[in-house]
Amino acid sequence: MEKQQKGFVQYIAQGSLVKQILLGLILGVLLAWLAPSAAKSVELLGNLFVGALKAVAPVLVWVLVMSSIANHKAGQKSNIRPILFLYLIGTFLAAVVAVIGSMLFPSTLALVANDAQISPPENIIEVLRGVLLNIVANPIDAILKGNYVGILAWSIGLGIALRHANESTKLLVQDLSEAVTKLVRVVIRLAPVGIFGLVSSTIATTGFDTLLGYAHLLTVLISCMIIVALIVNPLIVYWKIRRNPYPLVFECLRESGVTAFFTRSSAANIPVNMAMCRRMNLDEDTYSVSIPLGATINMAGAAVTITVLTMAAVNTLGITVDIPTAILLSVVSVIGACGSSGVAGGSLLLIPLACSMFGISNEVAMQVVAVGFIIGVLQDSAETGLNSSTDVLFTAAACQAEDTRLMSDKLAQR
């Protein structure tokens, strides 16, 4: 009996996290189907898990980025610049796919009244202004509110300043980052229990009946995200590493995308991505910066959401979209996506910005936002899964490409 207990504990602590998550998913669906009232009562498990991730993620970003920069040795090369390029080109191509998909399979909306009291940005200038204000926000306030733009700005600034500190100070910062990382690993191991609670309570409370009226819109939306995940991103990765990209693509979708799908927050999934990069033996100086940065600006899923819902509004109102306008919409979606927050539903508030390009009133645009919240059970989950898995994918591609280049240089020197 004691051996069985030890074996069970060992499986929980060291077993495959993906398999455990899938088990939690299956059990959650069964509970919601067989005992809906009991399923609603386990919502606390999901809320505790997501709350723990959201609590530890800002601190993790703060100490990891600061430690990475502070302990960066002179002459030691990182791959942040090529990763930034991959982030931007991936987000733009995702918006292009969404425009093409919306033109080939146009969706229309039964717009409804919306009484939600939310204030979306009115133009790109306001989005950029918000980003700049977030950069100079109080660092403590940024951590408390999960303002990742502010957290990144302060951690980068402090990291640069600490590069001139004593070695003992740098070692203290490094030890602090390792301590927080250990706490994160404990939280990550609780993912199966959290996802069990999230899935069972969501299905029992919401169901999928409300989604049937928007089946076509959801099909276009999620199909575009699948195309980006399985065709566009692999092409980008192949261009970077010059070999079959799909083993890496599927690994990122399985280990990062699945967890992000249920937590519905790129920011909350940062610890998962960091742990995955560590298991893949990627350059810590690179991923400790690129993963938090990706959760802020690498938003292919958000670009798809903004574009598809805006095009649905355009089709509903009978507005003609030419190619130059479609390209401009893609650019606006990229800027808007980069300005969206790393929390659930963050991209929806950028839809009025894109709608304003076509002269669509804010009142109508807010009705489109309301539709987005209705389909958010699947839309936001798929969006976050794409966003977060792509952070790891592009980071790994850049690191592997750099390793290949260095190996080729060594062989050439021989």
Side-chain angles (χ1 to χ4, degrees):
M1 184 68 179
E2 186 177 349
K3 289 183 178 180
Q4 291 178 344
Q5 290 178 345
K6 288 183 178 179
F8 178 74
V9 172
Q10 186 175 10
Y11 171 73
I12 295 298
Q14 301 177 1
S16 170
L17 185 61
V18 174
K19 292 180 180 179
Q20 292 177 12
I21 288 174
L22 290 177
L23 178 61
L25 169 62
I26 294 171
L27 293 177
V29 172
L30 289 176
L31 181 63
W33 178 39
L34 299 174
S37 58
K40 293 179 183 178
S41 65
V42 299
E43 182 181 11
L44 178 62
L45 295 175
N47 291 339
L48 286 174
F49 170 65
V50 175
L53 277 179
K54 290 183 178 179
V56 75
V59 181
L60 180 70
V61 173
W62 176 281
V63 298
L64 278 179
V65 174
M66 181 172 59
S67 174
S68 176
I69 295 176
N71 289 282
H72 182 76
K73 304 298 182 183
Q76 187 176 359
K77 187 177 180 181
S78 64
N79 302 301
I80 297 300
R81 188 174 299 176
I83 294 174
L84 285 176
F85 175 77
L86 294 179
Y87 283 169
L88 292 177
I89 192 65
T91 303
F92 175 75
L93 291 178
V96 172
V97 168
V99 169
I100 295 173
S102 297
M103 287 181 168
L104 293 176
F105 305 99
S107 303
T108 56
L109 304 174
L111 298 178
V112 296
N114 177 54
D115 297 326
Q117 298 298 317
I118 50 182
S119 301
E122 296 179 356
N123 49 54
I124 294 178
I125 300 300
E126 187 173 341
V127 173
L128 297 177
R129 178 177 179 273
V131 171
L132 291 175
L133 289 176
N134 284 337
I135 289 175
V136 297
N138 182 286
I140 305 301
D141 186 64
I143 292 176
L144 291 175
K145 294 182 178 179
N147 168 16
Y148 286 88
V149 174
I151 292 170
L152 280 171
W154 280 98
S155 57
I156 290 171
L158 282 173
I160 293 173
L162 286 171
R163 293 187 67 177
H164 304 287
N166 294 328
E167 291 301 320
S168 58
T169 303
K170 295 180 182 180
L171 184 60
L172 175 63
V173 174
Q174 185 175 351
D175 289 342
L176 179 62
S177 69
E178 291 177 358
V180 175
T181 300
K182 289 180 180 178
L183 289 177
V184 168
R185 290 174 182 170
V186 174
V187 175
I188 292 173
R189 297 307 308 187
L190 299 176
V193 177
I195 287 173
F196 165 74
L198 287 171
V199 171
S200 58
S201 60
T202 298
I203 294 178
T205 304
T206 307
F208 292 99
D209 293 339
T210 55
L211 302 178
L212 294 178
Y214 299 99
H216 184 274
L217 176 64
L218 266 173
T219 300
V220 173
L221 192 68
I222 295 179
S223 295
C224 288
M225 293 184 187
I226 291 174
I227 290 172
V228 172
L230 298 181
I231 298 178
V232 175
N233 284 349
L235 287 173
I236 295 174
V237 173
Y238 175 78
W239 167 77
K240 192 68 180 176
I241 65 177
R242 299 298 179 181
R243 61 177 181 270
N244 182 7
Y246 282 100
L248 179 60
V249 169
F250 290 139
E251 183 180 4
C252 293
L253 288 173
R254 183 178 67 252
E255 297 194 24
S256 174
V258 170
T259 308
F261 184 91
F262 293 106
T263 60
R264 298 173 61 189
S265 172
S266 297
N269 209 51
I270 288 174
V272 177
N273 286 349
M274 299 288 283
M276 185 177 175
C277 289
R278 190 176 299 107
R279 289 196 304 273
M280 296 170 70
N281 294 318
L282 303 182
D283 179 27
E284 187 172 357
D285 282 336
T286 298
Y287 72 73
S288 60
V289 177
S290 68
I291 294 299
L293 193 62
T296 307
I297 67 170
N298 183 35
M299 294 289 177
V304 171
T305 296
I306 294 170
T307 304
V308 169
L309 285 171
T310 300
M311 289 294 291
V314 168
N315 293 328
T316 301
L317 298 175
I319 301 173
T320 303
V321 180
D322 54 18
I323 293 179
T325 306
I327 295 174
L328 180 59
L329 173 61
S330 299
V331 174
V332 171
S333 296
V334 170
I335 297 174
C338 292
S340 64
S341 59
V343 298
S347 62
L348 296 177
L349 298 185
L350 277 300
I351 291 173
L353 167 62
C355 285
S356 66
M357 284 180 48
F358 301 94
I360 298 175
S361 68
N362 190 61
E363 180 180 355
V364 174
M366 290 311 300
Q367 294 178 34
V368 180
V369 174
V371 171
F373 279 110
I374 292 172
I375 64 174
V377 173
L378 290 180
Q379 167 269 321
D380 199 36
S381 296
E383 173 187 317
T384 309
L386 175 60
N387 287 344
S388 194
S389 62
T390 307
D391 294 345
V392 185
L393 178 65
F394 287 163
T395 297
C399 289
Q400 291 181 10
E402 180 64 16
D403 290 342
T404 301
R405 187 189 67 80
L406 292 175
M407 187 176 298
S408 298
D409 290 346
K410 289 181 179 179
L411 292 174
Q413 290 175 358
R414 291 180 183 176

